[in-house]
């Protein structure tokens, strides 16, 4: 999507991508990025790093993965927060989040799965079937999880065309569920060791926990700065930081995000922001927004408001909790990883009151004037849960707007009208 000095076509060809279709995808994402991101004013200079990462999203980063694999390294692709990155890194492998945020090859997808499947699932299957995602093609193993019925069955289909391994996630958080999940994380330890040929040790897991915690701490600083009025960073830029966190080099990303956080904290001290003081502030909650899905943030911020937080997997659920770093044995550390991950509040759990508590707490901490609850169409889990979210937000004295959408741009006009009307009543 950039004017690349390097021609990456031979590398993409070697990975088995469909080059003309892939070129078309890169062009479309580049246009989307330019329209949503490069039109923003007064962005922090720290965002230059993320602009660069996006300009090389299928270039330099894929080359890094390629070099790593050619030197014997293994890459694991994941789709969900519940797959612990610490375990993968402790085995000496790299973890990459697989994009599922754009409509692609739906005609082909709908030949093998129902039309009324959520956009996230259709998107990852479309990227695979159309051979346009260098991340999945760079993944020695895709690790799925049984979070929802759609994904569970989609991984069976994916497994026919790509090495895929699925973690069984409990759907409740009772002591017996936690015990089952700890056993499942130990299965991941075995699988990671088998694929990499490396042994996970106390030292390697301790280092991985610290490294991933540092990444989450940097994102926490960016999120905390967003509580200021005027907001020092747009919601779109903060969302991009979280999206990139899933696939960038961990130490480098952490360093660059800490530099960005330094800048944001200085902006807060100077009273400098991306929107005027008093601009309407919105908290967004719901289904994750995988790259390159910036649709709702773009609509809200082009309407003059600022998104101050994301209670979602591409937001607070990803970085708000850390794995305790004081485990002294390998067993203690694996348990600590498992417990931290089971604390994530996904709608696949019942009950899932922790998510609603987080929405209310974040809305207050971030000074939100209203909440937008987002569900992907055909996602029964988040659509069902939105009733409870709406009731709780209203009871807390805040207006709430429920949006159900997908990745198409057809409803942008209609959604803009609804969002503008919502912002007027805040
Ligand atoms: S919403 Fe649930 S299933 Fe989706 S990425 Fe988050 S934790 Fe995983
Ligand atoms: S958005 Fe909903 S239906 Fe789609 S994969 Fe996530 S949990 Fe499953």
């Amino acid at each position: 999507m950039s004017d690349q000095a390097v021609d990456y076509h031979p590398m993409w060809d070697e990975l088995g991508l469909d080059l003309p279709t892939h070129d078309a995808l890169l062009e479309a994402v580049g246009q989307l990025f330019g329209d949503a991101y490069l039109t923003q004013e007064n962005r922090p200079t720290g965002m230059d790093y993320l602009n660069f990462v996006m300009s090389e999203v299928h270039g330099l980063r894929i080359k890094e993965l390629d070099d790593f694999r050619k030197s014997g390294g293994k890459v694991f692709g994941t789709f969900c927060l519940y797959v612990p990155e610490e375990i993968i890194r402790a085995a000496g492998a790299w973890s990459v989040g697989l994009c599922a945020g754009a409509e692609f090859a739906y005609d082909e997808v709908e030949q093998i799965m129902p039309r009324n499947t959520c956009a996230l699932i259709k998107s990852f299957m479309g990227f695979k079937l159309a051979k346009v995602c260098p991340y999945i093609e760079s993944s020695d193993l895709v690790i799925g999880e049984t979070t929802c019925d759609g994904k569970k069955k989609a991984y069976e289909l994916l497994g026919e065309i790509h090495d895929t391994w699925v973690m069984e996630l409990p759907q409740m958080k009772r002591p017996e569920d936690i015990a089952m999940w700890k056993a499942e994380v130990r299965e991941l330890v075995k699988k990671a060791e088998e694929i990499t040929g490396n042994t996970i040790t106390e030292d390697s897991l301790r280092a991985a926990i610290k490294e991933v915690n540092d990444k989450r701490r940097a994102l926490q600083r960016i999120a905390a700065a967003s509580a200021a009025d005027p907001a020092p960073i747009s919601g779109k830029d903060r969302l991009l930081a979280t999206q990139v966190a899933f696939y960038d080099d961990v130490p480098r990303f952490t360093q660059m995000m800490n530099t960005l956080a330094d800048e944001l904290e200085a902006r807060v001290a100077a009273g400098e922001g991306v929107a005027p003081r008093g601009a309407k502030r919105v908290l967004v909650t719901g289904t994750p927004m995988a790259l390159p899905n910036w649709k709702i943030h773009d609509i809200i911020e082009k309407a003059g408001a600022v998104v101050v937080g994301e209670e979602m997997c591409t937001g607070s659920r990803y970085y708000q909790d850390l794995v305790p770093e004081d485990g002294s044995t390998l067993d203690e550390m694996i348990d600590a990883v498992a417990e931290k991950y089971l604390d994530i509040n996904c709608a696949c759990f019942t009950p899932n009151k922790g998510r609603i508590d987080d929405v209310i707490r974040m809305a207050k901490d971030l000074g939100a004037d209203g909440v937008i609850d987002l569900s992907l169409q055909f996602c029964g889990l988040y659509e069902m849960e939105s009733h409870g979210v709406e009731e709780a937000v209203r009871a807390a004295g805040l207006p709430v707007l429920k949006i159900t959408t997908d990745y198409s741009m057809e409803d942008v006009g209609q959604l803009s009208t609804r969002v503008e009307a919502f912002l007027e009543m805040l």
Side-chain angles (χ1 to χ4, degrees):
M1 57 182 278
S2 69
D3 297 330
Q4 287 148 348
V6 181
D7 180 9
Y8 291 113
H9 284 85
M11 176 178 75
W12 296 329
D13 196 27
E14 203 184 318
L15 282 171
L17 298 192
D18 178 323
L19 296 182
T21 317
H22 178 251
D23 282 350
L25 172 73
L26 277 193
E27 195 182 329
V29 175
Q31 275 173 11
L32 208 60
F33 186 75
D35 180 51
Y37 278 85
L38 304 181
T39 52
Q40 297 180 98
E41 287 175 9
N42 200 20
R43 296 174 81 200
T45 53
M47 288 306 297
D48 290 350
Y49 174 68
L50 293 176
N51 288 346
F52 173 71
V53 168
M54 283 306 294
S55 74
E56 287 287 340
V57 68
H58 284 197
L60 202 52
R61 184 60 183 145
I62 297 300
K63 173 86 171 61
E64 288 177 343
L65 299 183
D66 202 44
D67 291 345
F68 178 61
R69 293 175 76 214
K70 283 177 175 155
S71 68
K74 299 292 178 191
V75 173
F76 290 2
T78 65
F79 284 108
C80 172
L81 284 203
Y82 284 103
V83 180
E85 183 176 2
E86 292 85 345
I87 302 291
I88 294 169
R89 293 187 70 79
W94 287 357
S95 161
V96 289
L98 297 171
C99 305
E103 252 184 30
F104 220 79
Y106 275 17
D107 287 350
E108 276 182 78
V109 172
E110 287 169 10
Q111 286 174 23
I112 60 169
M113 59 174 65
R115 196 162 181 271
N116 57 353
T117 302
C118 88
L120 200 143
I121 295 173
K122 278 164 109 170
S123 173
F124 84 62
M125 212 57 187
F127 275 38
K128 176 67 195 174
L129 292 176
K131 301 192 183 90
V132 291
C133 177
Y135 287 92
I136 196 163
E137 302 310 332
S138 299
S139 297
D140 297 286
L141 184 71
V142 169
I143 306 180
E145 60 344 287
T146 56
T147 39
C148 72
D149 289 351
K151 273 207 214 163
K152 201 158 60 187
K153 301 314 283 183
Y155 292 136
E156 290 177 15
L157 298 171
L158 184 65
E160 291 172 13
I161 45 178
H162 199 105
D163 281 342
T164 303
W165 190 75
V166 177
M167 296 183 77
E168 163 76 331
L169 185 78
Q171 316 267 282
M172 296 177 84
K173 296 183 182 180
R174 303 163 303 177
E176 56 268 44
D177 300 309
I178 294 173
M180 179 266 211
W181 178 239
K182 285 179 178 173
E184 197 62 16
V185 172
R186 283 180 170 75
E187 288 302 307
L188 176 65
V189 168
K190 277 195 239 160
K191 190 71 186 173
E193 289 181 335
E194 176 199 316
I195 301 278
T196 59
N198 298 328
T199 303
I200 295 179
T201 64
E202 277 174 23
D203 285 348
S204 73
L205 185 53
R206 185 174 292 112
I209 288 172
K210 167 87 171 58
E211 217 170 34
V212 179
N213 275 350
D214 285 346
K215 171 167 64 164
R216 297 187 205 277
R217 284 187 192 101
L219 292 169
Q220 286 174 358
R221 288 182 64 199
I222 294 169
S226 305
D229 185 14
I233 183 170
S234 69
K236 261 187 292 199
D237 280 341
R238 190 184 47 255
L239 172 65
L240 183 64
T242 316
Q243 290 171 329
V244 169
F246 286 90
Y247 68 87
D248 198 15
D249 175 78
V250 176
R252 179 179 62 210
F253 176 81
T254 302
Q255 186 195 343
M256 299 311 288
M257 290 307 98
N258 275 319
T259 304
L260 173 63
D262 291 342
E263 183 184 358
L264 298 186
E265 287 160 9
R267 279 185 158 204
V268 171
E272 195 186 332
V274 287
R277 190 184 301 276
K280 300 293 184 209
R281 302 166 67 85
V282 175
L283 174 73
V284 178
T285 178
T287 44
M289 298 177 184
L291 266 178
N293 179 11
W294 306 299
K295 181 171 154 180
I296 296 301
H297 278 53
D298 195 40
I299 289 172
I300 296 169
E301 296 194 329
K302 281 187 174 153
V306 59
V307 180
V308 290
E310 296 78 25
E311 189 290 311
M312 45 182 45
C313 288
T314 43
S316 62
R317 281 180 230 148
Y318 179 66
Y319 52 71
Q320 73 179 6
D321 294 320
L322 305 177
V323 178
E325 292 176 18
D326 56 358
S328 54
T329 65
L330 187 58
D331 260 351
E332 275 179 23
M333 284 185 262
I334 295 173
D335 282 351
V337 168
E339 283 167 15
K340 180 260 173 234
Y341 276 81
L342 208 66
D343 261 353
I344 298 167
N345 296 316
C346 172
C348 66
F349 279 91
T350 183
N352 191 31
K353 188 170 174 305
R355 174 178 167 220
I356 290 175
D357 294 344
D358 280 351
V359 170
I360 305 301
R361 176 185 51 75
M362 286 177 68
K364 288 188 175 150
D365 291 351
L366 295 166
D369 300 300
V371 174
I372 292 187
D373 179 30
L374 178 79
S375 300
L376 279 182
Q377 195 179 20
F378 307 125
C379 171
L381 295 173
Y382 280 89
E383 288 206 79
M384 283 278 189
E385 203 163 276
S386 77
H387 178 69
V389 171
E390 279 180 60
E391 277 195 332
V393 173
R394 287 209 180 92
L398 285 173
V400 56
L401 174 69
K402 175 176 164 38
I403 288 179
T404 300
T405 185
D406 55 19
Y407 294 162
S408 83
M409 291 295 158
E410 281 165 18
D411 59 354
V412 166
Q414 185 216 11
L415 288 178
S416 299
T417 308
R418 288 184 62 207
V419 167
E420 281 160 21
F422 177 67
L423 295 177
E424 268 171 33
M425 60 177 258
L426 297 183

